[in-house]
Amino acid sequence: MINYNISEIADNEMREFAMYTIANRAIPNMIDGLKPVQRFYLYSSLVNTPKDFKKVSAVSGVVSDYGYNHGETSAAGAGQLMAATWNNNICLVEGRGSFGTRQVQQAGAARYVYTRVHENFSKYIQDIELSPEHYDPEHTPPQFYIPVIPLVLANGTKGIATGFATNILPRSEKDIIKACKDFVTKGKISKRLGVSFPDFKGSTVYDASTDRFICTGKFERPSKTQVIITEIPYGYDRESYVKILDKLDDDDVIVSYEDQCSNDGFRFEIKLKIMMSNKLNTDEKVIKAFKLEKTHAENLTVIDPNFKLREYTDERELIKDFCEFRLGVLQTRIDKSIERYEEEVRWLGVKAEFIQAVLEDKIIFKGQNKSQVSKQILSSTSALNDDCDRLLRMNLLTLTMEQIKELMGKMKEASTLLKYWNNTSPNEQFINDLGSIKM
C-alpha cells in the first residue's frame, strides 16, 4: 500500500483539477468575456455559419473537431444563450427561431432553432490575426478574441468553479465606451458604471452601504384598489413571479389578478382588498408587498490574458487593465502595419525598377540562363536575392510603361499609408476604434 500525504494531494492533483475547472470551464476571460464553451461555439459559427443560418445542433455537433471535450449538449446550450437577446446587451451570434424571452426564458430545442455569426462580431472584434494561440495544440480556437471594449462587462456572466465563482452584472455599451475613452484620454475613470440589464425597463441603482445593486420593477396605480405591474425585477421570469402572486392570492392579500403578459412585455392587473389598499398607501409599500425590488451582488472574477485568476472589487479596475492590454495589442497592430507597408513600398519600387531596366535593355533574357538573368536584376535594381524568382514570374504583358505608371500610383498610396502608421499611436488607434462603433 502506498500512503499519500493529504497536503500533497491538495497541492497537486486537487489544485490542478481546480485550476482546470476555473480556466477551462466556468470562469470567463476578461478580454473577450467568453467561457471556453462559448468560444468554441463562436469559432464553429465563424467556420460553418459566417453568413447562412444552420441548426444549433449542427453548429454545436462539430465542436469536438476543434478540441472541445465536454459534449455537444453544453455547446448547444451555450449557443442558445449567446443568441438570446434577453440575455445579452451585445450578441455575437444571431438567432432565428425561439430563443426565449424574459417571460419564458427556455429556448426551442437545438434541432429546431438556427444561428449564424452576428454582424456585431465584425463590429466589436478586431485584430483577429493577433489573437493568441491556445497553449493546447489540439485547441483550435484562440486563447481569446480581442474586442474593442470589455464584452465581459457588456453582457455579464455567471459561473461556479472549484473554490471560486463569478457573477458579473451587465453594463451599457455607451457607458463602457465612455469609460474606455476616459482612461485612454485622461488616464482615469471618474465614475462607476451603472448596471444595465438587457430588455429591462425598470431601474437599477447601486447601494454603497451594502455593495449591492437594487433592481426595481415598474407599476401603475389607476385606482385605489388596482395595481398594474408593467415590469418585474430582473431575475424573475413570468412563472416565478406568478408564484409570488398566487401566494398573495392564497394569503388573501389580493382579491385576484389577471396575467396579461405578451410579446410586448410583462403586465399583471391586480385587484386589492379595500383594507389592503389603505395599507399600501405609498410606492415603497407597494414595491415591498409585491416584491418589485431585488438585490444583485457582484463577484468580478475573471481569467486574465496570462491565464491567471483575477478578482476585482471595482469594474473600473477591470476596464483599466483591459485598456492597457489593448493598447499593447494596438502597438503590435501599428508595428505590423509599418512592416507591411515598408515592404509594399519597397516591392512596388523594385517591380518598377525591373520593368524600367527591361525596357532599357539593361536586363536581357535572350541567350541567358536563370542565374545570369538574376545577376543582371541584382546589378540593375535594388532587388534582394529572394526577389528574383518573383520578378521572373511576372507576366510579359505587364512589362510596359503603363505598368510602371500604375505601380508608381500604388507606391504613392502605400507611402501615404506608411506615413500614417508611422505617425499614429496606440491611444489614437483606440479612440478611432471606439468611434467606429455605431450604436
Side-chain angles (χ1 to χ4, degrees), residues 102 158 167-171 195 197 200 203-207 210-217 232-236 292-299:
R102 280 197 56 223
K158 291 182 179 180
N167 182 33
I168 300 173
L169 302 178
R171 270 73 178 181
V195 167
F197 291 108
F200 176 64
S203 64
T204 307
V205 297
Y206 176 66
D207 182 6
T210 60
D211 192 27
R212 291 171 180 264
F213 292 87
I214 302 174
C215 181
T216 308
I232 62 177
Y234 204 89
Y236 290 121
L292 291 178
E293 192 173 271
K294 186 177 179 66
T295 60
H296 294 268
E298 184 165 53
N299 185 359

PDB file of all heavy atoms in Angstrom, residues 102 158 167-171 195 197 200 203-207 210-217 232-236 292-299:
ATOM      1  N   ARG A 102     -37.741  37.212 -21.687  1.00  0.00           N
ATOM      2  CA  ARG A 102     -37.663  37.378 -20.233  1.00  0.00           C
ATOM      3  C   ARG A 102     -38.854  36.722 -19.556  1.00  0.00           C
ATOM      4  O   ARG A 102     -38.750  36.300 -18.412  1.00  0.00           O
ATOM      5  CB  ARG A 102     -37.597  38.866 -19.869  1.00  0.00           C
ATOM      6  CG  ARG A 102     -36.211  39.466 -20.022  1.00  0.00           C
ATOM      7  CD  ARG A 102     -36.104  40.774 -19.284  1.00  0.00           C
ATOM      8  NE  ARG A 102     -36.441  40.629 -17.897  1.00  0.00           N
ATOM      9  CZ  ARG A 102     -37.200  41.468 -17.199  1.00  0.00           C
ATOM     10  NH1 ARG A 102     -37.722  42.532 -17.788  1.00  0.00           N
ATOM     11  NH2 ARG A 102     -37.451  41.256 -15.927  1.00  0.00           N
ATOM     12  N   LYS A 158     -22.334  34.433 -15.385  1.00  0.00           N
ATOM     13  CA  LYS A 158     -22.311  33.703 -14.116  1.00  0.00           C
ATOM     14  C   LYS A 158     -21.521  32.420 -14.300  1.00  0.00           C
ATOM     15  O   LYS A 158     -21.463  31.869 -15.399  1.00  0.00           O
ATOM     16  CB  LYS A 158     -23.728  33.360 -13.652  1.00  0.00           C
ATOM     17  CG  LYS A 158     -24.576  34.540 -13.224  1.00  0.00           C
ATOM     18  CD  LYS A 158     -25.936  34.059 -12.732  1.00  0.00           C
ATOM     19  CE  LYS A 158     -26.808  35.229 -12.276  1.00  0.00           C
ATOM     20  NZ  LYS A 158     -28.134  34.759 -11.798  1.00  0.00           N
ATOM     21  N   ASN A 167     -20.017  36.334 -10.820  1.00  0.00           N
ATOM     22  CA  ASN A 167     -21.351  36.861 -11.105  1.00  0.00           C
ATOM     23  C   ASN A 167     -21.177  38.314 -11.523  1.00  0.00           C
ATOM     24  O   ASN A 167     -21.189  39.219 -10.696  1.00  0.00           O
ATOM     25  CB  ASN A 167     -22.270  36.751  -9.886  1.00  0.00           C
ATOM     26  CG  ASN A 167     -23.667  37.240 -10.183  1.00  0.00           C
ATOM     27  OD1 ASN A 167     -24.156  37.090 -11.299  1.00  0.00           O
ATOM     28  ND2 ASN A 167     -24.317  37.840  -9.209  1.00  0.00           N
ATOM     29  N   ILE A 168     -20.980  38.504 -12.816  1.00  0.00           N
ATOM     30  CA  ILE A 168     -20.699  39.839 -13.354  1.00  0.00           C
ATOM     31  C   ILE A 168     -21.992  40.401 -13.929  1.00  0.00           C
ATOM     32  O   ILE A 168     -22.639  39.761 -14.765  1.00  0.00           O
ATOM     33  CB  ILE A 168     -19.610  39.771 -14.434  1.00  0.00           C
ATOM     34  CG1 ILE A 168     -18.322  39.187 -13.824  1.00  0.00           C
ATOM     35  CG2 ILE A 168     -19.332  41.150 -15.017  1.00  0.00           C
ATOM     36  CD1 ILE A 168     -17.226  38.923 -14.838  1.00  0.00           C
ATOM     37  N   LEU A 169     -22.371  41.578 -13.475  1.00  0.00           N
ATOM     38  CA  LEU A 169     -23.602  42.206 -13.934  1.00  0.00           C
ATOM     39  C   LEU A 169     -23.336  43.027 -15.194  1.00  0.00           C
ATOM     40  O   LEU A 169     -22.259  43.602 -15.349  1.00  0.00           O
ATOM     41  CB  LEU A 169     -24.174  43.100 -12.831  1.00  0.00           C
ATOM     42  CG  LEU A 169     -24.472  42.390 -11.502  1.00  0.00           C
ATOM     43  CD1 LEU A 169     -24.992  43.378 -10.467  1.00  0.00           C
ATOM     44  CD2 LEU A 169     -25.463  41.248 -11.703  1.00  0.00           C
ATOM     45  N   PRO A 170     -24.315  43.090 -16.110  1.00  0.00           N
ATOM     46  CA  PRO A 170     -24.094  43.770 -17.405  1.00  0.00           C
ATOM     47  C   PRO A 170     -24.139  45.288 -17.295  1.00  0.00           C
ATOM     48  O   PRO A 170     -24.911  45.849 -16.516  1.00  0.00           O
ATOM     49  CB  PRO A 170     -25.239  43.249 -18.267  1.00  0.00           C
ATOM     50  CG  PRO A 170     -26.333  42.943 -17.286  1.00  0.00           C
ATOM     51  CD  PRO A 170     -25.639  42.455 -16.038  1.00  0.00           C
ATOM     52  N   ARG A 171     -23.297  45.939 -18.088  1.00  0.00           N
ATOM     53  CA  ARG A 171     -23.285  47.402 -18.193  1.00  0.00           C
ATOM     54  C   ARG A 171     -23.699  47.817 -19.599  1.00  0.00           C
ATOM     55  O   ARG A 171     -23.660  47.014 -20.535  1.00  0.00           O
ATOM     56  CB  ARG A 171     -21.888  47.960 -17.910  1.00  0.00           C
ATOM     57  CG  ARG A 171     -21.622  48.298 -16.457  1.00  0.00           C
ATOM     58  CD  ARG A 171     -21.436  47.091 -15.604  1.00  0.00           C
ATOM     59  NE  ARG A 171     -21.125  47.465 -14.219  1.00  0.00           N
ATOM     60  CZ  ARG A 171     -20.885  46.580 -13.262  1.00  0.00           C
ATOM     61  NH1 ARG A 171     -20.943  45.290 -13.500  1.00  0.00           N
ATOM     62  NH2 ARG A 171     -20.608  46.999 -12.038  1.00  0.00           N
ATOM     63  N   VAL A 195     -25.443  49.530 -13.735  1.00  0.00           N
ATOM     64  CA  VAL A 195     -25.830  48.240 -14.310  1.00  0.00           C
ATOM     65  C   VAL A 195     -26.979  48.455 -15.291  1.00  0.00           C
ATOM     66  O   VAL A 195     -27.892  49.241 -15.038  1.00  0.00           O
ATOM     67  CB  VAL A 195     -26.239  47.259 -13.200  1.00  0.00           C
ATOM     68  CG1 VAL A 195     -26.950  46.037 -13.764  1.00  0.00           C
ATOM     69  CG2 VAL A 195     -25.012  46.830 -12.410  1.00  0.00           C
ATOM     70  N   PHE A 197     -29.419  45.940 -17.357  1.00  0.00           N
ATOM     71  CA  PHE A 197     -29.874  44.610 -17.752  1.00  0.00           C
ATOM     72  C   PHE A 197     -30.536  44.666 -19.122  1.00  0.00           C
ATOM     73  O   PHE A 197     -31.295  45.592 -19.412  1.00  0.00           O
ATOM     74  CB  PHE A 197     -30.867  44.055 -16.727  1.00  0.00           C
ATOM     75  CG  PHE A 197     -30.262  43.726 -15.399  1.00  0.00           C
ATOM     76  CD1 PHE A 197     -30.518  44.521 -14.297  1.00  0.00           C
ATOM     77  CD2 PHE A 197     -29.441  42.616 -15.244  1.00  0.00           C
ATOM     78  CE1 PHE A 197     -29.964  44.225 -13.059  1.00  0.00           C
ATOM     79  CE2 PHE A 197     -28.886  42.314 -14.017  1.00  0.00           C
ATOM     80  CZ  PHE A 197     -29.141  43.114 -12.918  1.00  0.00           C
ATOM     81  N   PHE A 200     -34.756  45.266 -20.106  1.00  0.00           N
ATOM     82  CA  PHE A 200     -35.332  45.593 -18.797  1.00  0.00           C
ATOM     83  C   PHE A 200     -35.694  47.074 -18.769  1.00  0.00           C
ATOM     84  O   PHE A 200     -34.859  47.927 -19.078  1.00  0.00           O
ATOM     85  CB  PHE A 200     -34.334  45.257 -17.688  1.00  0.00           C
ATOM     86  CG  PHE A 200     -34.813  45.640 -16.309  1.00  0.00           C
ATOM     87  CD1 PHE A 200     -35.922  45.036 -15.745  1.00  0.00           C
ATOM     88  CD2 PHE A 200     -34.151  46.612 -15.574  1.00  0.00           C
ATOM     89  CE1 PHE A 200     -36.375  45.385 -14.480  1.00  0.00           C
ATOM     90  CE2 PHE A 200     -34.588  46.971 -14.302  1.00  0.00           C
ATOM     91  CZ  PHE A 200     -35.704  46.351 -13.760  1.00  0.00           C
ATOM     92  N   SER A 203     -35.545  50.161 -13.106  1.00  0.00           N
ATOM     93  CA  SER A 203     -34.348  50.917 -12.705  1.00  0.00           C
ATOM     94  C   SER A 203     -33.415  50.036 -11.884  1.00  0.00           C
ATOM     95  O   SER A 203     -33.863  49.106 -11.196  1.00  0.00           O
ATOM     96  CB  SER A 203     -34.753  52.146 -11.878  1.00  0.00           C
ATOM     97  OG  SER A 203     -35.367  51.754 -10.664  1.00  0.00           O
ATOM     98  N   THR A 204     -32.131  50.327 -11.973  1.00  0.00           N
ATOM     99  CA  THR A 204     -31.123  49.618 -11.189  1.00  0.00           C
ATOM    100  C   THR A 204     -30.159  50.650 -10.621  1.00  0.00           C
ATOM    101  O   THR A 204     -29.555  51.422 -11.374  1.00  0.00           O
ATOM    102  CB  THR A 204     -30.346  48.607 -12.048  1.00  0.00           C
ATOM    103  OG1 THR A 204     -31.266  47.734 -12.716  1.00  0.00           O
ATOM    104  CG2 THR A 204     -29.415  47.772 -11.181  1.00  0.00           C
ATOM    105  N   VAL A 205     -30.024  50.682  -9.310  1.00  0.00           N
ATOM    106  CA  VAL A 205     -29.142  51.649  -8.649  1.00  0.00           C
ATOM    107  C   VAL A 205     -28.186  50.916  -7.720  1.00  0.00           C
ATOM    108  O   VAL A 205     -28.494  49.837  -7.196  1.00  0.00           O
ATOM    109  CB  VAL A 205     -29.942  52.704  -7.858  1.00  0.00           C
ATOM    110  CG1 VAL A 205     -30.806  53.532  -8.801  1.00  0.00           C
ATOM    111  CG2 VAL A 205     -30.811  52.046  -6.795  1.00  0.00           C
ATOM    112  N   TYR A 206     -27.028  51.531  -7.508  1.00  0.00           N
ATOM    113  CA  TYR A 206     -26.011  50.946  -6.642  1.00  0.00           C
ATOM    114  C   TYR A 206     -26.208  51.442  -5.215  1.00  0.00           C
ATOM    115  O   TYR A 206     -26.382  52.639  -4.975  1.00  0.00           O
ATOM    116  CB  TYR A 206     -24.617  51.326  -7.131  1.00  0.00           C
ATOM    117  CG  TYR A 206     -23.498  50.833  -6.247  1.00  0.00           C
ATOM    118  CD1 TYR A 206     -23.243  49.467  -6.106  1.00  0.00           C
ATOM    119  CD2 TYR A 206     -22.689  51.738  -5.557  1.00  0.00           C
ATOM    120  CE1 TYR A 206     -22.214  49.020  -5.304  1.00  0.00           C
ATOM    121  CE2 TYR A 206     -21.656  51.293  -4.755  1.00  0.00           C
ATOM    122  CZ  TYR A 206     -21.426  49.929  -4.621  1.00  0.00           C
ATOM    123  OH  TYR A 206     -20.413  49.485  -3.820  1.00  0.00           O
ATOM    124  N   ASP A 207     -26.181  50.508  -4.271  1.00  0.00           N
ATOM    125  CA  ASP A 207     -26.295  50.842  -2.854  1.00  0.00           C
ATOM    126  C   ASP A 207     -24.927  50.631  -2.206  1.00  0.00           C
ATOM    127  O   ASP A 207     -24.510  49.487  -1.967  1.00  0.00           O
ATOM    128  CB  ASP A 207     -27.342  49.950  -2.184  1.00  0.00           C
ATOM    129  CG  ASP A 207     -27.554  50.283  -0.714  1.00  0.00           C
ATOM    130  OD1 ASP A 207     -26.958  51.281  -0.247  1.00  0.00           O
ATOM    131  OD2 ASP A 207     -28.291  49.551  -0.028  1.00  0.00           O
ATOM    132  N   THR A 210     -24.473  48.500   1.141  1.00  0.00           N
ATOM    133  CA  THR A 210     -24.496  47.024   1.083  1.00  0.00           C
ATOM    134  C   THR A 210     -23.609  46.472  -0.027  1.00  0.00           C
ATOM    135  O   THR A 210     -23.461  45.253  -0.138  1.00  0.00           O
ATOM    136  CB  THR A 210     -25.937  46.535   0.855  1.00  0.00           C
ATOM    137  OG1 THR A 210     -26.421  47.067  -0.388  1.00  0.00           O
ATOM    138  CG2 THR A 210     -26.853  46.973   1.990  1.00  0.00           C
ATOM    139  N   ASP A 211     -23.039  47.370  -0.838  1.00  0.00           N
ATOM    140  CA  ASP A 211     -22.245  46.975  -2.001  1.00  0.00           C
ATOM    141  C   ASP A 211     -23.054  46.061  -2.921  1.00  0.00           C
ATOM    142  O   ASP A 211     -22.554  45.054  -3.420  1.00  0.00           O
ATOM    143  CB  ASP A 211     -20.954  46.275  -1.555  1.00  0.00           C
ATOM    144  CG  ASP A 211     -19.966  46.125  -2.715  1.00  0.00           C
ATOM    145  OD1 ASP A 211     -20.013  46.954  -3.644  1.00  0.00           O
ATOM    146  OD2 ASP A 211     -19.177  45.154  -2.704  1.00  0.00           O
ATOM    147  N   ARG A 212     -24.302  46.407  -3.121  1.00  0.00           N
ATOM    148  CA  ARG A 212     -25.190  45.651  -3.997  1.00  0.00           C
ATOM    149  C   ARG A 212     -25.958  46.589  -4.923  1.00  0.00           C
ATOM    150  O   ARG A 212     -26.064  47.790  -4.662  1.00  0.00           O
ATOM    151  CB  ARG A 212     -26.177  44.806  -3.178  1.00  0.00           C
ATOM    152  CG  ARG A 212     -25.522  43.646  -2.438  1.00  0.00           C
ATOM    153  CD  ARG A 212     -26.504  42.982  -1.483  1.00  0.00           C
ATOM    154  NE  ARG A 212     -25.896  41.876  -0.775  1.00  0.00           N
ATOM    155  CZ  ARG A 212     -25.987  40.604  -1.141  1.00  0.00           C
ATOM    156  NH1 ARG A 212     -26.707  40.279  -2.204  1.00  0.00           N
ATOM    157  NH2 ARG A 212     -25.404  39.649  -0.441  1.00  0.00           N
ATOM    158  N   PHE A 213     -26.493  46.017  -5.963  1.00  0.00           N
ATOM    159  CA  PHE A 213     -27.310  46.762  -6.904  1.00  0.00           C
ATOM    160  C   PHE A 213     -28.774  46.420  -6.669  1.00  0.00           C
ATOM    161  O   PHE A 213     -29.132  45.238  -6.591  1.00  0.00           O
ATOM    162  CB  PHE A 213     -26.915  46.444  -8.342  1.00  0.00           C
ATOM    163  CG  PHE A 213     -25.549  46.963  -8.713  1.00  0.00           C
ATOM    164  CD1 PHE A 213     -24.416  46.203  -8.466  1.00  0.00           C
ATOM    165  CD2 PHE A 213     -25.403  48.207  -9.303  1.00  0.00           C
ATOM    166  CE1 PHE A 213     -23.159  46.671  -8.799  1.00  0.00           C
ATOM    167  CE2 PHE A 213     -24.150  48.688  -9.644  1.00  0.00           C
ATOM    168  CZ  PHE A 213     -23.027  47.928  -9.391  1.00  0.00           C
ATOM    169  N   ILE A 214     -29.607  47.446  -6.547  1.00  0.00           N
ATOM    170  CA  ILE A 214     -31.027  47.252  -6.284  1.00  0.00           C
ATOM    171  C   ILE A 214     -31.805  47.437  -7.578  1.00  0.00           C
ATOM    172  O   ILE A 214     -31.772  48.498  -8.200  1.00  0.00           O
ATOM    173  CB  ILE A 214     -31.541  48.245  -5.225  1.00  0.00           C
ATOM    174  CG1 ILE A 214     -30.745  48.074  -3.924  1.00  0.00           C
ATOM    175  CG2 ILE A 214     -33.024  48.037  -4.976  1.00  0.00           C
ATOM    176  CD1 ILE A 214     -31.087  49.112  -2.870  1.00  0.00           C
ATOM    177  N   CYS A 215     -32.475  46.388  -7.989  1.00  0.00           N
ATOM    178  CA  CYS A 215     -33.230  46.361  -9.234  1.00  0.00           C
ATOM    179  C   CYS A 215     -34.721  46.485  -8.898  1.00  0.00           C
ATOM    180  O   CYS A 215     -35.253  45.697  -8.113  1.00  0.00           O
ATOM    181  CB  CYS A 215     -32.947  45.047  -9.959  1.00  0.00           C
ATOM    182  SG  CYS A 215     -33.775  44.861 -11.526  1.00  0.00           S
ATOM    183  N   THR A 216     -35.386  47.456  -9.479  1.00  0.00           N
ATOM    184  CA  THR A 216     -36.781  47.740  -9.149  1.00  0.00           C
ATOM    185  C   THR A 216     -37.653  47.705 -10.394  1.00  0.00           C
ATOM    186  O   THR A 216     -37.301  48.276 -11.429  1.00  0.00           O
ATOM    187  CB  THR A 216     -36.916  49.133  -8.490  1.00  0.00           C
ATOM    188  OG1 THR A 216     -35.998  49.222  -7.393  1.00  0.00           O
ATOM    189  CG2 THR A 216     -38.330  49.351  -7.980  1.00  0.00           C
ATOM    190  N   GLY A 217     -38.804  47.026 -10.287  1.00  0.00           N
ATOM    191  CA  GLY A 217     -39.752  46.952 -11.382  1.00  0.00           C
ATOM    192  C   GLY A 217     -40.590  48.215 -11.483  1.00  0.00           C
ATOM    193  O   GLY A 217     -40.322  49.220 -10.820  1.00  0.00           O
ATOM    194  N   ILE A 232     -41.142  43.624 -13.914  1.00  0.00           N
ATOM    195  CA  ILE A 232     -40.732  42.958 -12.685  1.00  0.00           C
ATOM    196  C   ILE A 232     -39.212  42.947 -12.612  1.00  0.00           C
ATOM    197  O   ILE A 232     -38.534  43.110 -13.635  1.00  0.00           O
ATOM    198  CB  ILE A 232     -41.290  41.516 -12.613  1.00  0.00           C
ATOM    199  CG1 ILE A 232     -40.754  40.654 -13.766  1.00  0.00           C
ATOM    200  CG2 ILE A 232     -42.829  41.539 -12.620  1.00  0.00           C
ATOM    201  CD1 ILE A 232     -41.220  39.203 -13.716  1.00  0.00           C
ATOM    202  N   PRO A 233     -38.646  42.800 -11.421  1.00  0.00           N
ATOM    203  CA  PRO A 233     -37.183  42.862 -11.288  1.00  0.00           C
ATOM    204  C   PRO A 233     -36.481  41.816 -12.150  1.00  0.00           C
ATOM    205  O   PRO A 233     -36.986  40.703 -12.334  1.00  0.00           O
ATOM    206  CB  PRO A 233     -36.956  42.610  -9.794  1.00  0.00           C
ATOM    207  CG  PRO A 233     -38.223  43.012  -9.147  1.00  0.00           C
ATOM    208  CD  PRO A 233     -39.308  42.645 -10.115  1.00  0.00           C
ATOM    209  N   TYR A 234     -35.328  42.205 -12.661  1.00  0.00           N
ATOM    210  CA  TYR A 234     -34.529  41.271 -13.448  1.00  0.00           C
ATOM    211  C   TYR A 234     -34.106  40.108 -12.554  1.00  0.00           C
ATOM    212  O   TYR A 234     -33.658  40.296 -11.432  1.00  0.00           O
ATOM    213  CB  TYR A 234     -33.289  41.965 -14.016  1.00  0.00           C
ATOM    214  CG  TYR A 234     -32.752  41.283 -15.240  1.00  0.00           C
ATOM    215  CD1 TYR A 234     -33.214  41.628 -16.504  1.00  0.00           C
ATOM    216  CD2 TYR A 234     -31.801  40.282 -15.143  1.00  0.00           C
ATOM    217  CE1 TYR A 234     -32.735  41.003 -17.647  1.00  0.00           C
ATOM    218  CE2 TYR A 234     -31.310  39.645 -16.276  1.00  0.00           C
ATOM    219  CZ  TYR A 234     -31.785  40.002 -17.526  1.00  0.00           C
ATOM    220  OH  TYR A 234     -31.313  39.380 -18.649  1.00  0.00           O
ATOM    221  N   GLY A 235     -34.271  38.917 -13.062  1.00  0.00           N
ATOM    222  CA  GLY A 235     -34.001  37.710 -12.276  1.00  0.00           C
ATOM    223  C   GLY A 235     -35.250  36.869 -12.112  1.00  0.00           C
ATOM    224  O   GLY A 235     -35.183  35.663 -11.870  1.00  0.00           O
ATOM    225  N   TYR A 236     -36.414  37.508 -12.238  1.00  0.00           N
ATOM    226  CA  TYR A 236     -37.676  36.782 -12.274  1.00  0.00           C
ATOM    227  C   TYR A 236     -38.097  36.563 -13.726  1.00  0.00           C
ATOM    228  O   TYR A 236     -37.861  37.404 -14.593  1.00  0.00           O
ATOM    229  CB  TYR A 236     -38.789  37.590 -11.585  1.00  0.00           C
ATOM    230  CG  TYR A 236     -38.670  37.714 -10.087  1.00  0.00           C
ATOM    231  CD1 TYR A 236     -38.587  38.976  -9.499  1.00  0.00           C
ATOM    232  CD2 TYR A 236     -38.661  36.601  -9.260  1.00  0.00           C
ATOM    233  CE1 TYR A 236     -38.496  39.112  -8.119  1.00  0.00           C
ATOM    234  CE2 TYR A 236     -38.572  36.733  -7.891  1.00  0.00           C
ATOM    235  CZ  TYR A 236     -38.486  37.982  -7.309  1.00  0.00           C
ATOM    236  OH  TYR A 236     -38.391  38.118  -5.947  1.00  0.00           O
ATOM    237  N   LEU A 292     -41.290  43.900  -5.803  1.00  0.00           N
ATOM    238  CA  LEU A 292     -40.832  44.560  -7.018  1.00  0.00           C
ATOM    239  C   LEU A 292     -39.412  45.098  -6.888  1.00  0.00           C
ATOM    240  O   LEU A 292     -38.962  45.894  -7.725  1.00  0.00           O
ATOM    241  CB  LEU A 292     -41.785  45.702  -7.386  1.00  0.00           C
ATOM    242  CG  LEU A 292     -43.175  45.268  -7.861  1.00  0.00           C
ATOM    243  CD1 LEU A 292     -44.044  46.468  -8.159  1.00  0.00           C
ATOM    244  CD2 LEU A 292     -43.079  44.360  -9.080  1.00  0.00           C
ATOM    245  N   GLU A 293     -38.739  44.669  -5.860  1.00  0.00           N
ATOM    246  CA  GLU A 293     -37.344  45.075  -5.646  1.00  0.00           C
ATOM    247  C   GLU A 293     -36.512  43.834  -5.393  1.00  0.00           C
ATOM    248  O   GLU A 293     -36.887  42.979  -4.588  1.00  0.00           O
ATOM    249  CB  GLU A 293     -37.262  46.041  -4.466  1.00  0.00           C
ATOM    250  CG  GLU A 293     -35.923  46.731  -4.336  1.00  0.00           C
ATOM    251  CD  GLU A 293     -35.965  47.809  -3.259  1.00  0.00           C
ATOM    252  OE1 GLU A 293     -36.304  48.971  -3.589  1.00  0.00           O
ATOM    253  OE2 GLU A 293     -35.700  47.473  -2.094  1.00  0.00           O
ATOM    254  N   LYS A 294     -35.379  43.759  -6.105  1.00  0.00           N
ATOM    255  CA  LYS A 294     -34.494  42.605  -5.968  1.00  0.00           C
ATOM    256  C   LYS A 294     -33.051  43.090  -5.958  1.00  0.00           C
ATOM    257  O   LYS A 294     -32.673  43.949  -6.756  1.00  0.00           O
ATOM    258  CB  LYS A 294     -34.702  41.629  -7.141  1.00  0.00           C
ATOM    259  CG  LYS A 294     -33.936  40.315  -7.051  1.00  0.00           C
ATOM    260  CD  LYS A 294     -34.295  39.445  -8.234  1.00  0.00           C
ATOM    261  CE  LYS A 294     -33.521  38.124  -8.200  1.00  0.00           C
ATOM    262  NZ  LYS A 294     -33.929  37.272  -7.039  1.00  0.00           N
ATOM    263  N   THR A 295     -32.268  42.569  -5.023  1.00  0.00           N
ATOM    264  CA  THR A 295     -30.865  42.985  -4.938  1.00  0.00           C
ATOM    265  C   THR A 295     -29.967  41.991  -5.677  1.00  0.00           C
ATOM    266  O   THR A 295     -30.239  40.785  -5.707  1.00  0.00           O
ATOM    267  CB  THR A 295     -30.411  43.101  -3.483  1.00  0.00           C
ATOM    268  OG1 THR A 295     -30.560  41.825  -2.839  1.00  0.00           O
ATOM    269  CG2 THR A 295     -31.225  44.131  -2.742  1.00  0.00           C
ATOM    270  N   HIS A 296     -28.914  42.533  -6.270  1.00  0.00           N
ATOM    271  CA  HIS A 296     -27.957  41.709  -7.006  1.00  0.00           C
ATOM    272  C   HIS A 296     -26.551  42.010  -6.497  1.00  0.00           C
ATOM    273  O   HIS A 296     -26.100  43.160  -6.543  1.00  0.00           O
ATOM    274  CB  HIS A 296     -28.027  42.004  -8.501  1.00  0.00           C
ATOM    275  CG  HIS A 296     -29.317  41.619  -9.144  1.00  0.00           C
ATOM    276  ND1 HIS A 296     -29.535  40.390  -9.723  1.00  0.00           N
ATOM    277  CD2 HIS A 296     -30.482  42.312  -9.283  1.00  0.00           C
ATOM    278  CE1 HIS A 296     -30.761  40.336 -10.211  1.00  0.00           C
ATOM    279  NE2 HIS A 296     -31.355  41.492  -9.947  1.00  0.00           N
ATOM    280  N   ALA A 297     -25.877  40.991  -6.018  1.00  0.00           N
ATOM    281  CA  ALA A 297     -24.477  41.132  -5.614  1.00  0.00           C
ATOM    282  C   ALA A 297     -23.590  40.827  -6.818  1.00  0.00           C
ATOM    283  O   ALA A 297     -23.980  40.093  -7.726  1.00  0.00           O
ATOM    284  CB  ALA A 297     -24.163  40.185  -4.471  1.00  0.00           C
ATOM    285  N   GLU A 298     -22.404  41.400  -6.816  1.00  0.00           N
ATOM    286  CA  GLU A 298     -21.490  41.186  -7.937  1.00  0.00           C
ATOM    287  C   GLU A 298     -20.187  40.579  -7.459  1.00  0.00           C
ATOM    288  O   GLU A 298     -19.652  40.948  -6.410  1.00  0.00           O
ATOM    289  CB  GLU A 298     -21.215  42.500  -8.665  1.00  0.00           C
ATOM    290  CG  GLU A 298     -20.354  42.321  -9.907  1.00  0.00           C
ATOM    291  CD  GLU A 298     -20.380  43.538 -10.803  1.00  0.00           C
ATOM    292  OE1 GLU A 298     -20.116  44.641 -10.293  1.00  0.00           O
ATOM    293  OE2 GLU A 298     -20.649  43.392 -12.012  1.00  0.00           O
ATOM    294  N   ASN A 299     -19.704  39.636  -8.261  1.00  0.00           N
ATOM    295  CA  ASN A 299     -18.423  38.986  -7.983  1.00  0.00           C
ATOM    296  C   ASN A 299     -17.610  39.029  -9.266  1.00  0.00           C
ATOM    297  O   ASN A 299     -17.831  38.234 -10.184  1.00  0.00           O
ATOM    298  CB  ASN A 299     -18.669  37.545  -7.528  1.00  0.00           C
ATOM    299  CG  ASN A 299     -17.392  36.842  -7.112  1.00  0.00           C
ATOM    300  OD1 ASN A 299     -16.314  37.416  -7.168  1.00  0.00           O
ATOM    301  ND2 ASN A 299     -17.510  35.597  -6.712  1.00  0.00           N
TER     302      ASN A 299
END
